[in-house]
Amino acid sequence: MAALGGARRRPLFLLLLAGLLHGTAATFVVTDGNGTACIMANFSAAFVTIYDTRNGPTNVTFDLPPDAAVLNSSSSCGKENASAPSLVIAFGRGHRLTLNFTRNATRYSVQLMGFIYNLSDTQIFPNASSKEIKTVESATDIRADINKKYRCVSNNQIHMHNVTVTLHDATIQAYLASSSFSKEETRCEQDGPFPTTAPPPPPRPSPSPTPETPSVHKYNVSGANGTCLLASMGLQLNVTYSKRDNTTVSGLFSIDPSNTSATGSCGAQLVTLDLRSSRIHSLLFQFGMDPNTSQFFLQGIQLNMTVPDARDPTFQADNSSLRALQATIGNSYKCNAEERVEVTEAFSVNIFKVWVQAFQVQGDKFGSVEECQLDENSMLIPIAVGGALAGLVLIVLIAYLIGRKRSHAGYQTI
C-alpha cells in the first residue's frame, strides 16, 4: 500500500480491499504520572475515507504512518469514577485516532473509537472542497478479559460513517497489571476459534415475528448539477445475530420513513443515499456506473445499527461488490415484486416496490422504465394460463364437433 504521501484515489470497492495490504506495525504506550504503563497497543492501521471535492465525492486510502505517536496531552490512564482510560494517536497535520476504554468486573473493551481528520491536509486529501476538521466515531467489538491482552491477527474493520479503519495484527491491553503485555490473551472472533474436533452444528436461527410490509417512500439526492438519484421503495433489514444467551436469531427491521433522515452525495461515478434513525446509525446505499455498458447499478450497502438484545449490540456489515437494481443510464429500474439483496451471510435487505434511477435524472422525473425479471415472469404466468385454457376450449370444441358428426352418420332415411 502507498505510504502517507502516496495516498491516491480509487473506486470504493477497490479501496475496501486495503485491509489485504498492511503498513508497519507500531507500539503505543500510555503511562501515568509515575511512568507506569496503563495502556499498551501494537498494530498497523489502514484508513479508507470518502470526502467531497469540487468534482464530487471521491475516495482516498492511506496507512497509519511510521511517525505516528501517542499524544500525551490527550491520552490518559483515567481516574476511578471520574474518567476512563484513552489512547490518542496523532499523525500528519492534525489527524487523531482515539481509543476510549471501559470495563466491568470481568472484561474491558474499546467502547468507542474516534477519528479526527483535517481536510486542509492536501497531501492526503487533494482537491478537497472543504478545509474543515471532521470528527467521526463508532462502537467497536474490541474486548478482552481483565488481565489478558486482546489479540487479533485477522483484519478488524471499524466503520465510522464515511471512514473505515482496518486494524491488522493487533495486540491491545488496558488496565495493565504490569508495564508489559500479559502472557494470557483473549482472541478476537475473526481469528477463530479453531476447534480440534468437528464442532456441533450451529443452532437454527429462531425467526422473529414478521413485521408489516414497510412503507414505500420517495428519496431524492441532489448536488450542484441537480438531482442525481431518485428512489421510491420500502426497506426491510434482515439481520442474523447472537443474543446474550448465545441463541441465534433472525430479526426483521422495517425502515419507518417518518422517523428516518435521508442525506446523500452526487459524484461523477458514485452516488450515495445515507439513511439514519435512532437505531440505525447509517444505512448507506452506493450506486456506481459501468461506462462500458452505460449502466448504473447498486454497487454497495453498508450498515451500522444497534440491536439492543444482541450479545454485541453494535451490528455492522458491508459489501461493495454488489450488482443489483441495474438499468441503462438515463432510464429507471422498476420492480413491483419483493427483491432480496444479500449483503453478507448475516445481513440482507428486502426491497419492496422499488423504482430507482441514478446519475442522469431529467427534471426530477423517472426516465423510461426497465422492468425487473421477476415482474416479467409474473406477467408471463397469466398469459401462459390463458393460452392453455384457450387451447383446452379449442380441443373440447373440436371433440364435440367430431362426436356430433359421427352420431349423425348413424341415422338412415326411411
Side-chain angles (χ1 to χ4, degrees):
M1 179 174 292
L4 178 61
R8 56 187 183 273
R9 293 173 291 173
R10 296 179 180 176
L12 183 60
F13 71 96
L14 291 178
L15 291 178
L16 289 177
L17 297 177
L20 299 175
L21 304 172
H22 318 291
T24 305
T27 299
F28 307 97
V29 181
V30 178
T31 59
D32 61 17
N34 299 321
T36 303
C38 61
I39 302 173
M40 292 184 67
N42 180 276
F43 55 76
S44 62
F47 299 78
V48 177
T49 305
I50 301 174
Y51 70 99
D52 290 325
T53 69
R54 297 174 186 86
N55 298 320
T58 190
N59 313 282
V60 67
T61 180
F62 53 93
D63 289 333
L64 187 67
D67 60 354
V70 175
L71 187 64
N72 292 317
S73 60
S74 300
S75 300
S76 169
C77 290
K79 295 181 181 179
E80 190 171 357
N81 300 323
S83 61
S86 62
L87 165 63
V88 182
I89 301 170
F91 64 95
R93 295 178 55 185
H95 313 300
R96 298 184 184 182
L97 179 66
T98 301
L99 283 68
N100 293 315
F101 294 85
T102 188
R103 63 171 291 174
N104 55 28
T106 59
R107 307 196 86 188
Y108 67 92
S109 65
V110 178
Q111 183 181 33
L112 204 66
M113 178 179 287
F115 183 47
I116 298 174
Y117 57 101
N118 183 6
L119 290 173
S120 65
D121 186 347
T122 57
Q123 194 174 23
I124 295 181
F125 304 106
N127 302 317
S129 58
S130 168
K131 304 302 179 184
E132 295 177 276
I133 295 177
K134 299 280 191 177
T135 301
V136 292
E137 60 185 19
S138 175
T140 79
D141 61 356
I142 299 173
R143 55 179 59 85
D145 297 330
I146 294 293
N147 295 327
K148 292 184 181 181
K149 62 190 176 188
Y150 166 85
R151 187 78 179 98
C152 196
V153 177
S154 304
N155 293 332
N156 187 2
Q157 290 189 335
I158 297 91
H159 303 283
M160 299 180 283
H161 187 40
N162 57 339
V163 176
T164 298
V165 179
T166 303
L167 301 184
H168 176 71
D169 197 11
T171 304
I172 301 171
Q173 188 170 358
Y175 308 97
L176 287 164
S178 62
S179 293
S180 62
F181 286 120
S182 299
K183 292 183 179 180
E184 294 186 280
E185 62 185 27
T186 299
R187 295 299 290 264
C188 64
E189 293 183 1
Q190 292 90 333
D191 279 357
F194 303 100
T196 55
T197 60
R204 260 187 198 178
S206 305
S208 301
T210 304
E212 296 180 359
T213 301
S215 301
V216 174
H217 184 72
K218 187 174 182 180
Y219 304 95
N220 182 311
V221 178
S222 299
N225 297 321
T227 301
C228 65
L229 178 67
L230 282 180
S232 176
M233 54 190 174
L235 297 169
Q236 192 177 75
L237 311 182
N238 193 333
V239 177
T240 300
Y241 60 95
S242 297
K243 299 179 71 173
R244 294 186 181 93
D245 60 2
N246 289 328
T247 59
T248 301
V249 297
S250 292
L252 289 174
F253 305 93
S254 293
I255 301 298
D256 182 1
S258 63
N259 297 322
T260 303
S261 64
T263 58
S265 61
C266 299
Q269 295 188 343
L270 182 68
V271 170
T272 66
L273 172 65
D274 193 3
L275 306 180
R276 301 187 176 204
S277 65
S278 57
R279 172 178 285 183
I280 298 173
H281 308 304
S282 177
L283 174 60
L284 184 68
F285 294 87
Q286 300 163 327
F287 290 87
M289 68 160 62
D290 186 342
N292 296 321
T293 61
S294 298
Q295 291 186 316
F296 72 85
F297 56 93
L298 179 60
Q299 168 181 303
I301 297 178
Q302 294 181 8
L303 174 65
N304 184 337
M305 71 175 294
T306 299
V307 183
D309 62 337
R311 185 176 60 193
D312 181 0
T314 300
F315 182 90
Q316 296 178 331
D318 75 86
N319 187 337
S320 294
S321 56
L322 302 174
R323 192 89 177 189
L325 313 186
Q326 184 170 283
T328 305
I329 295 174
N331 292 351
S332 60
Y333 175 90
K334 190 173 185 180
C335 197
N336 290 315
E338 176 186 348
E339 290 199 72
R340 184 186 180 104
V341 179
E342 297 284 348
V343 182
T344 67
E345 290 185 0
F347 171 52
S348 61
V349 180
N350 302 328
I351 307 179
F352 298 80
K353 297 185 181 300
V354 62
W355 194 3
V356 64
Q357 183 172 346
F359 299 103
Q360 295 180 14
V361 180
Q362 302 296 330
D364 291 340
K365 294 181 180 179
F366 289 110
S368 300
V369 172
E370 295 185 20
E371 298 279 355
C372 67
Q373 190 65 45
L374 290 172
D375 284 358
E376 291 178 358
N377 291 343
S378 65
M379 291 175 64
L380 290 175
I381 292 174
I383 293 173
V385 172
L389 289 175
L392 183 60
V393 169
L394 183 60
I395 292 171
V396 171
L397 180 60
I398 292 173
Y400 170 75
L401 293 174
I402 292 173
R404 186 178 181 195
K405 183 177 181 180
R406 285 181 177 176
S407 63
H408 283 180
Y411 293 103
Q412 295 181 3
T413 303
I414 297 176

